[in-house]
Amino acid sequence: MTIDFDNLDPEALDFLSARSLSQVPAGTPRTELFQEGRYAAYAQDLGFAWRWAIARDGRDIQEGPALSLESARLSARRVLAFFARLDSPPTPA
């Protein structure tokens, strides 16, 4: 199968859009990826991809798609590193 990116129908990629990821069917089980301080990450198997999400103090703050559980774990860790830097106090120069 070849994808023609010059003439791509926007509907063709809708299955990975943030809108459709946010509409995960109720009751889809979550797999906890890790928990660190105020943050927790989990993933959900959508059948065609995994949805990973990071929660801070119990509220989702970031989500994304991944093709496997391991890639979901790696993606969530990298994004969490960014949030951890934002939470760290600045170091004096």
Side-chain angles (χ1 to χ4, degrees):
M1 177 178 165
T2 303
I3 299 174
D4 181 1
F5 287 99
D6 295 323
N7 300 303
L8 187 63
D9 176 7
E11 305 265 330
L13 295 179
D14 190 48
F15 69 94
L16 283 180
S17 72
R19 187 186 79 236
S20 63
L21 284 173
S22 296
Q23 296 173 351
V24 174
T28 302
R30 292 180 171 191
T31 301
E32 186 175 302
L33 299 176
F34 54 84
Q35 200 162 23
E36 293 180 12
R38 307 171 53 190
Y39 296 94
Y42 60 88
Q44 293 172 290
D45 186 357
L46 305 177
F48 61 91
W50 286 80
R51 172 191 179 261
W52 59 264
I54 296 174
R56 179 176 49 214
D57 300 328
R59 182 172 176 207
D60 285 356
I61 58 169
Q62 185 71 42
E63 68 176 45
L67 294 177
S68 69
L69 181 59
E70 186 56 30
S71 63
R73 188 181 328 276
L74 289 171
S75 295
R77 282 251 178 239
R78 289 181 181 177
V79 172
L80 180 62
F82 170 78
F83 286 114
R85 278 194 305 250
L86 289 180
D87 288 349
S88 298
T91 56

